[in-house]
Amino acid sequence: MKKSLPLIVLACLLPWLVYVFIGQSWVRILDFSLLYLMLSLGLNVVVGYAGLLDLGYIAFFAVGAYSYALLSSPQFGLHWPLLVILPIGALCAGVFGVLLGAPTLRLKGDYLAIVTLGFGEIIRIFLNNLSTPINITNGPQGISEIDPLHVGSFVFNHSSALMGISVPSVIHIYYLFLLAVIVTIVFSYRLEKSRVGRAWMAIREDELAASCVGIHTKRYKLLAFGLGATMGGLSGGLFAGFQEFVSPESFTLMESVMILCMVVLGGMGHIPGVIVGSLLLSVLPELLRESAGWQKSLLGSVWVDPANLRLIMFALALVIMMLLRPEGLIPSSVRKKELHHE
Amino acid sequence: MSNILEVNAISKRFGGLIALNNVSLVIPQHSIVGLIGPNGAGKTTLFNIITGLYRPDQGHMLLLGKRLPVGQAHEVARCGIARTFQNIRLFGHLTVLENILVGRHLRSTASVLGAIFNTAHTRQEEREMRDKAFYFLNYVGLSHRAQDYAKTLSYGDQRRLEIARALATEPQVLALDEPAAGMNSKERQDLAQLIQRIKEEGVTVLVIEHDVKWIMSLCQQVSVLHFGQVIAEGDPHLVQNNAKVIEAYLGRGQHHVA
Ligand SMILES: Nc1ncnc2c1ncn2[C@@H]1O[C@H](COP(=O)(O)OP(=O)(O)OP(=O)(O)O)[C@@H](O)[C@H]1O
Ligand SMILES: [Mg+2]
């Protein structure tokens, strides 16, 4: 923990450096990458620790986001305070995690992946269609005019002046998200080193042997689904308040795949790996987005649409990774030994 | 001597194959009981039923006179039966120490909230668990490998780690499925000593093995399974000279015991 102090200091200075030297839009990108980091940490509990391949994880982000949206917007005329709805959203997502996890307990590997993928899509389709007969989610238009993130009279989404220095809203948001991320990291780390985390990893390694030392495997799998989903739900609530708008199209299968890639790229089940993986994969695509400008100046015209370039790079990165470093960029030393021995 | 485990009229079929046919066994407390029989006799299947991995089609089991839950491995472990596997099943990507700590699962209580908030109770328990874990590692002579990954151990060490993991649950009955397989004679001797020591601590040991000589010198009682049926049981030397057993092992004649 003490070793991470310089990192925390760096993380606190980063938004100012980026703001001053690059620009506000990049601080916004950092804000989003912190949300992705929370999602990755949540999925890491399910995939990395318990070894349950979940391809519908974004659904819990959606549940968290819609919980916030419904309880804090003109949709139902509710405007509950942040400190009430964030936990409610996280809890709702956790409950959904358990409910969707329960029918999949007997499934493994590919089969589990396909069923969770289906569940993820079902949630999105529900959000898309729950506008009739009673309008709950407002369908594909989504919910707008969501209350911004605020505590008392302090609104994170508005810029403020601190001792004569004006602080842009994206930096407030950054610190709020950073706080949430640090809490999530500390909790994840403690879980990993605990009796609970070891039970998950035992299930990942050998479910049968785990049950023979007395681990109630079903209960622990549900616990992993539930806790992972709770982290996703928290992230979703923050997302809704940050955007002040949610719609079903933010919660597609592609997003689930993206988060899984973040977890896998850095090194599953290993928190530093997950952090690096998710930061890389949320910042790199944004760099590529700017490549249209470079292409024009270097080659005279835009040769490859940046959106496609992003996907190509993604696919290439994953294929190369799987070939050269299947254990992830920053693996736990265990996995590295294992994968390079065989 | 009272019986710790009674297996009553267990039958199990897999499709058309009758793996166990009306098998009954009594295991006296504080003894080492051998289970032998040719390949495919049903020895592992019987272990799997006792330890709750399979559900029997018929029959039941009693542990110290109480009905043992069927088909629920974690419940059976809680009742005090631990086991090892014919094809070693360790948690390969966990360290040797962590394997034992997982074995302490039933003997610890830390919950999610306790872990997340790192409560005094959780920290205290974690310290005690580590001390206990080292006790079991020392017991099988593996404490110098505590921080290595289970995968990296030699075959013999993996077998011993698996036994230590089972012992870490502090069982009343320890079921070993071919623990001596693939060991040389020196390792077999050491293993026999280890099993003897475990018995002396008050644990009842049930052991499957093909090496008849080894098992005869180790056990107080031997049961012979053949085509899913117990064809002989009792004193090792009487069993060894039993005509049916000799026939089962040498395969004399095509007619097997009905
Ligand atoms: N899960 C299963 N499904 C179908 N058949 C099975 C299953 N488990 C065991 N069998 C069959 O049941 C019979 C008994 O198998 P078992 O593994 O219990 O034998 P064993 O006595 O342990 O033999 P070995 O000495 O080779 O380990 C075999 O014919 C085996 O093929
Ligand atoms: Mg067997």
Side-chain angles (χ1 to χ4, degrees), chain A residues 55-56 113-123:
Chain A
L55 272 182
I114 289 169
V115 172
T116 51
L117 183 157
F119 281 159
E121 285 296 279
I122 287 171
I123 297 260

Side-chain angles (χ1 to χ4, degrees), chain A residues 67-339:
Chain A
S67 301
Y68 188 106
L70 294 176
L71 296 176
S72 189
S73 73
Q75 179 73 0
F76 291 140
L78 296 175
H79 298 279
W80 293 8
L82 181 77
L83 292 176
V84 174
I85 39 183
L86 275 186
I88 291 181
L91 198 72
C92 280
V95 169
F96 267 87
V98 172
L99 288 181
L100 294 190
T104 68
L105 287 175
R106 287 169 183 282
L107 304 174
K108 284 195 180 96
D110 305 354
Y111 300 99
L112 178 62
I114 289 169
V115 172
T116 51
L117 183 157
F119 281 159
E121 285 296 279
I122 287 171
I123 297 260
R124 188 178 60 80
I125 292 166
F126 260 99
L127 295 175
N128 236 329
N129 293 287
L130 276 184
S131 49
T132 52
I134 320 164
N135 185 1
I136 300 175
T137 63
N138 210 24
Q141 281 91 41
I143 297 172
S144 48
E145 292 176 62
I146 297 173
D147 298 345
L149 296 165
H150 63 282
V151 175
S153 62
F154 184 83
V155 182
F156 290 89
N157 300 36
H158 298 166
S159 54
S160 69
L162 186 75
M163 294 181 296
I165 308 166
S166 112
V167 182
S169 63
V170 284
I171 292 190
H172 295 147
I173 299 279
Y174 178 92
Y175 286 123
L176 178 66
F177 289 3
L178 184 64
L179 181 70
V181 161
I182 290 175
V183 170
T184 316
I185 290 177
V186 170
F187 284 4
S188 292
Y189 183 80
R190 286 180 176 172
L191 278 173
E192 182 183 323
K193 301 290 171 207
S194 75
R195 169 175 180 265
V196 177
R198 284 191 298 263
W200 283 333
M201 291 187 265
I203 293 171
R204 175 191 77 200
E205 295 295 308
D206 191 327
E207 191 172 339
L208 208 130
S211 69
C212 284
V213 291
I215 294 171
H216 195 315
T217 54
K218 285 185 183 162
R219 183 180 300 161
Y220 275 87
K221 284 187 190 181
L222 281 182
L223 193 60
F225 277 124
L227 276 180
T230 304
M231 295 183 189
L234 184 60
S235 177
L238 293 172
F239 171 76
F242 178 31
Q243 293 274 292
E244 301 176 37
F245 169 71
V246 291
S247 75
E249 68 188 64
S250 307
F251 311 109
T252 58
L253 172 63
M254 202 48 214
E255 293 292 319
S256 288
V257 172
M258 177 94 152
I259 297 159
L260 186 64
C261 288
M262 292 174 176
V263 175
V264 173
L265 181 76
M268 267 187 285
H270 188 225
I271 293 170
V274 172
I275 295 174
V276 170
S278 64
L279 292 185
L280 267 184
L281 283 192
S282 44
V283 169
L284 270 186
E286 299 302 327
L287 280 177
L288 291 175
R289 203 177 292 240
E290 311 224 314
S291 74
W294 313 335
Q295 286 189 38
K296 250 205 182 94
S297 57
L298 282 174
L299 306 166
S301 65
V302 180
W303 280 54
V304 190
D305 176 8
N308 293 339
L309 191 62
R310 226 177 107 200
L311 289 179
I312 294 169
M313 293 282 292
F314 232 66
L316 265 182
L318 277 181
V319 171
I320 293 172
M321 283 291 302
M322 284 301 125
L323 288 176
L324 299 182
R325 273 184 87 89
E327 70 273 18
L329 287 177
I330 307 194
S332 60
S333 35
V334 211
R335 217 165 261 280
K336 186 169 165 186
K337 263 189 198 158
E338 164 62 7
L339 285 161

Side-chain angles (χ1 to χ4, degrees), chain B residues 90 96 142 145 148-158 161:
Chain B
L90 288 169
V96 168
L142 279 175
R145 303 295 304 268
D148 295 330
Y149 295 105
K151 271 264 153 156
T152 64
L153 295 189
S154 70
Y155 183 79
D157 284 351
Q158 290 198 12
L161 176 56

